[in-house]
Amino acid sequence: MESGLPFSRFAQWNRGLAEAIVATSPTQLAGRFAPTARDLLAADSCHVGLYLREGACVTIDGERPDRWNRQYDRGLFREDPFFQKFAATQDDFLLPLSSFDAFHFERTPYYRDFYLPSQTIDEITGVFNLSPGVAGYVTFFRHRGSPSFIPADLALVEGAGDAVRLVLGRLWQLWQSGASIRGAANRVELSPREGQILDLLMDGGCAKTIARTLAISPGTVRNHIKSVYAKLGVHSQVELLAGGGDRHRL
């Protein structure tokens, strides 16, 4: 932690971490962690979520529902330079927006469709791999009227990196355990191969990685995935990981 951090903020951060780790749902975790993390960095907002290597994003609303998160998850995330870096590497990273070319970024649809209308001016984002197919992310935003982040802000987040990774790991556990999909799978007739594919999907795998793991073609995997989805009554991997909606909740 930064040596000059006021004790009150340090104590608040520790309390927020402790409360987040014992949360019993993803939304509860985000609601406890995001405000604490936001205040630690004097950011205007903080968001946490999951990136899937199959090309999906799940942002967990914290203090209140956020329409920008829903727009982001529906497709804007693919234009996000931080998601693009995640898709291009297997490494963890913690970066400020200034690490990307400002001229190029300001000419992108993402800047036009997200940054400008949401009044965002700067961000720091950390992405931490939690399984071969899934990473957790935390993003700190500054909005119009606030100062941009400075190197000391980045250093503060870097100092908290291990704790952030721990919280994101707990988020992933809750996201998975909140589902009763495996219990539902026991009540339907999945073939042995479909059972293997379900397990790999639950670990965040996509058709290509599952095909490599099982030494079968991606096309065959996709056919099995369609069958698994149909039997479990879900339509996507995100819905699968979320538990397939209320009808699968315990």
Side-chain angles (χ1 to χ4, degrees), residues 8-246:
S8 60
R9 286 171 62 196
F10 180 73
Q12 184 179 5
W13 165 253
N14 283 340
R15 285 195 300 270
L17 287 177
E19 291 174 355
I21 291 300
V22 298
T24 57
S25 74
T27 300
Q28 187 181 72
L29 181 149
R32 293 174 175 179
F33 175 72
T36 300
R38 178 200 64 206
D39 293 345
L40 177 72
L41 203 59
D44 292 315
S45 62
C46 175
H47 301 285
V48 295
L50 302 168
Y51 282 153
L52 278 65
R53 292 201 175 275
E54 67 150 12
C57 174
V58 180
T59 306
I60 313 299
D61 287 330
E63 298 168 273
R64 58 187 180 275
D66 190 316
R67 68 184 181 92
W68 292 110
N69 286 344
R70 303 291 74 75
Q71 293 185 30
Y72 183 82
D73 289 354
R74 282 197 292 268
L76 285 176
F77 70 90
R78 293 186 179 89
E79 301 294 331
D80 187 343
F82 291 96
F83 177 82
Q84 292 173 351
K85 183 171 180 62
F86 155 75
T89 180
Q90 297 285 335
D91 297 331
D92 298 344
F93 60 87
L94 178 62
L95 297 171
L97 182 63
S98 59
S99 63
F100 299 94
D101 181 78
F103 177 77
H104 174 74
F105 176 67
E106 291 179 1
R107 294 169 61 89
T108 62
Y110 181 68
Y111 180 79
R112 180 195 66 219
D113 297 336
F114 183 85
Y115 254 67
L116 285 179
S118 68
Q119 305 291 304
T120 302
I121 63 160
D122 200 5
E123 74 175 277
I124 293 174
T125 289
V127 176
F128 301 88
N129 287 277
L130 306 174
S131 79
V134 176
Y137 73 85
V138 59
T139 297
F140 301 89
F141 286 120
R142 290 262 174 88
H143 301 306
R144 194 160 298 158
S146 296
S148 297
F149 290 112
I150 60 176
D153 295 320
L154 180 62
L156 183 56
V157 183
E158 288 174 340
D162 288 344
V164 171
R165 176 194 287 278
L166 184 65
V167 169
L168 292 174
R170 177 60 177 162
L171 177 67
W172 175 228
Q173 290 175 349
L174 290 170
W175 186 256
Q176 289 183 297
S177 63
S180 57
I181 280 291
R182 285 193 169 98
N186 292 331
R187 298 192 293 271
V188 300
E189 294 183 0
L190 293 184
S191 70
R193 179 65 87 189
E194 288 170 346
Q196 287 180 308
I197 288 174
L198 172 62
D199 286 339
L200 292 169
L201 285 169
M202 293 293 287
D203 286 335
C206 64
K208 289 183 179 179
T209 59
I210 292 172
R212 286 197 295 268
T213 299
L214 300 180
I216 57 179
S217 73
T220 299
V221 172
R222 291 188 186 96
N223 288 336
H224 284 307
I225 290 174
K226 288 179 182 178
S227 178
V228 169
Y229 286 174
K231 290 180 179 181
L232 295 177
V234 299
H235 302 90
S236 69
Q237 189 176 16
V238 170
E239 189 178 350
L240 179 76
L241 292 172
D246 292 340

